[in-house]
């Protein structure tokens, strides 16, 4: 049998995952009225500034409505001027006793009605102006157009997504992480990011958001890592690797060949120092790496563990030690 003496050492579990770079805020832009597109000035990849016109609708109907609203407002203003003049005359006549109270009340009511009519007409005119402005789709903020769903000549409905805008500012690396690893990277965990196509491009990050839902198809959880001061090379859509800085643990490193099972749970064969008999020792595995195991607990410092030939053993068997490896085992 080949054995190894247990020795604990400091270990930080490596965790490196790749993901795509996304904008912090992605906005779907749409017209607020229906109509036919007569002009489109933005395409995928276009960088826009706040207020830039992305597309226009045929505004003939809105122009007609605006002219009608202006005419109604002008007519309401004329009626108010006439009603107010009549009201002022009747008030003077009432003070002099040359008209009746009922006639004055009637004229006053006509004046108040004319004021309300003008207010309503001005509101309708403002609505018509808004409707006309809605025929132009403008960028609400600076960013890059990432999707275009419309073309000139197409008839679109109100609220139909026309463009997608990735706003300038924050950038995230979006990762799909195995559910079992989520506890190692709660929000705020520091992360080192490198561009997959050019590892020399590096940036710091931190876990910003962890989805509470597990993807039923892949069994993964979506994690968003905020890029702190992203370099220009980390553009939207690029692939970056994220190395998570996990806590340092005191662990035992053993070769793969030492692992066995005790009623479905991981275990290793432990050799009694005096009798040289073997017994199963349940262990807690922190990580499985290439050609070696990382054990969190279950073994005492200085214990002797079988690392080769364990498949031929049974409980209480006396063994002969042919070779002893240094702490750390194969593959360290």
């Amino acid at each position: 049998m080949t054995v190894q003496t247990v020795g604990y050492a400091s270990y930080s579990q490596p965790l490196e995952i790749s993901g795509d770079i996304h904008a912090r805020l992605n906005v779907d832009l749409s017209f607020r009225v229906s109509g036919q597109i007569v002009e489109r000035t933005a395409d995928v990849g276009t960088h826009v500034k706040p207020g830039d016109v992305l597309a226009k609708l045929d505004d003939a109907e809105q122009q007609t409505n605006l002219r009608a609203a202006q005419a109604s407002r002008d007519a309401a203003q004329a009626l108010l001027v006439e009603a107010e003049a009549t009201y002022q005359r009747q008030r003077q006549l009432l003070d002099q006793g040359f008209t009746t109270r009922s006639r004055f009340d009637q004229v006053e009511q006509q004046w108040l009605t004319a004021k309300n009519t003008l207010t309503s007409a001005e509101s309708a005119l403002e609505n018509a102006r808004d409707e006309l402005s809605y025929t132009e789709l403008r960028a609400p903020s600076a960013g890059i157009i990432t999707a275009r769903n419309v073309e000139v000549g197409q008839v679109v409905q109100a609220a139909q997504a026309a463009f997608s805008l990735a706003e300038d500012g924050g950038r995230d690396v979006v990762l799909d992480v195995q559910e079992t690893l989520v506890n190692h990277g709660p929000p705020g965990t520091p992360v080192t990011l490198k561009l997959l196509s050019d590892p020399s491009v590096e940036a710091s990050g931190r876990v910003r958001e962890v989805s509470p839902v597990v993807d039923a198809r892949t069994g993964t959880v979506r994690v968003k890592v905020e890029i702190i001061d992203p370099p220009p090379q980390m553009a939207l859509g690029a692939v970056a690797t994220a190395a998570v800085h996990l806590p340092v643990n005191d662990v035992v490193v053993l070769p793969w060949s030492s692992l066995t099972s005790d009623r479905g749970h991981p275990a290793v064969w432990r050799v009694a120092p005096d009798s040289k008999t073997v017994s199963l020792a349940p262990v807690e595995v922190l990580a499985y790496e290439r050609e070696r195991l990382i054990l969190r607990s279950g073994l005492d410092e200085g214990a002797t563990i079988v690392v080769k030939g364990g498949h031929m053993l049974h409980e209480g068997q006396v063994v002969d030690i042919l070779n002893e490896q240094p702490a750390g085992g194969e593959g360290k």
Side-chain angles (χ1 to χ4, degrees), residues 28-299:
D28 288 333
L29 307 178
S30 58
F31 288 98
R32 298 175 68 173
V33 294
S34 302
Q36 185 179 38
I37 295 178
V38 295
E39 183 181 346
R40 177 182 60 78
T41 57
D43 209 338
V44 174
T46 302
H47 188 274
V48 298
K49 300 186 295 294
D52 284 356
V53 176
L54 308 180
K56 294 182 179 180
L57 297 178
D58 182 359
D59 62 358
E61 179 181 353
Q62 286 77 17
Q63 291 283 6
T64 299
N65 293 339
L66 179 61
R67 288 192 293 270
Q70 288 173 332
S72 297
R73 191 273 313 271
D74 293 343
Q77 281 181 329
L79 288 174
L80 178 60
V81 170
E82 181 182 354
E84 187 171 6
T86 303
Y87 168 74
Q88 294 297 341
R89 286 197 305 271
Q90 287 297 317
R91 189 171 66 175
Q92 291 177 358
L93 292 174
L94 181 65
D95 292 341
Q96 297 170 3
F98 294 125
T99 189
T100 62
R101 185 71 192 186
S102 61
R103 173 59 180 163
F104 173 79
D105 289 344
Q106 181 182 4
V107 170
E108 184 181 35
Q109 185 61 44
Q110 291 173 348
W111 172 60
L112 293 174
T113 300
K115 289 179 65 176
N116 292 334
T117 300
L118 177 60
T119 300
S120 178
E122 289 176 338
S123 178
L125 177 59
E126 189 63 30
N127 288 339
R129 286 173 178 155
D130 287 342
E131 289 285 324
L132 180 60
S133 69
Y134 295 158
T135 61
E136 292 184 343
L137 182 59
R138 296 178 178 270
S141 57
I144 297 174
I145 301 297
T146 57
R148 173 181 57 81
N149 306 313
V150 296
E151 191 51 270
V152 174
Q154 181 178 346
V155 176
V156 297
Q157 302 299 318
Q160 176 184 337
F163 297 91
S164 293
L165 176 68
E167 295 189 1
D168 287 348
R171 294 286 185 263
D172 289 337
V173 177
V174 179
L175 311 169
D176 291 320
V177 180
Q178 292 181 8
E179 181 184 4
T180 55
L181 299 177
V182 170
N183 292 334
H184 296 304
T189 301
V191 178
T192 298
L193 302 169
K194 294 183 180 181
L195 202 60
L196 185 62
S197 60
D198 185 1
S200 64
V201 178
E202 185 174 324
S204 298
R206 55 174 166 261
V207 176
R208 183 178 66 83
E209 177 183 306
V210 178
S211 173
V213 180
V214 179
D215 189 302
R217 183 175 58 86
T218 62
T220 59
V221 175
R222 178 143 293 188
V223 175
K224 295 182 179 179
V225 176
E226 174 189 3
I227 307 176
I228 302 173
D229 297 328
Q233 297 91 330
M234 288 190 172
L236 295 177
V239 179
T241 58
V244 182
H245 307 302
L246 300 181
V248 176
N249 296 280
D250 288 333
V251 301
V252 176
V253 180
L254 295 177
W256 263 100
S257 55
S258 61
L259 183 65
T260 186
S261 175
D262 181 14
R263 290 171 292 185
H265 299 286
V268 295
W269 288 106
R270 179 171 49 200
V271 181
D274 298 328
S275 63
K276 303 301 180 186
T277 59
V278 294
S279 60
L280 283 173
V283 293
E284 182 183 358
V285 180
L286 176 64
Y288 296 92
E289 295 185 358
R290 184 179 180 182
E291 298 182 357
R292 67 178 190 172
L293 301 169
I294 310 299
L295 304 183
R296 187 198 305 271
S297 62
L299 298 175

Side-chain angles (χ1 to χ4, degrees), residues 1-47:
M1 294 292 144
T2 301
V3 298
Q4 177 180 317
T5 302
V6 170
Y8 279 86
S10 297
Y11 170 84
S12 179
Q13 182 182 3
L15 179 58
E16 191 169 276
I17 308 169
S18 62
D20 298 333
I21 298 176
H22 293 250
R24 176 77 52 80
L25 295 176
N26 292 277
V27 184
D28 288 333
L29 307 178
S30 58
F31 288 98
R32 298 175 68 173
V33 294
S34 302
Q36 185 179 38
I37 295 178
V38 295
E39 183 181 346
R40 177 182 60 78
T41 57
D43 209 338
V44 174
T46 302
H47 188 274

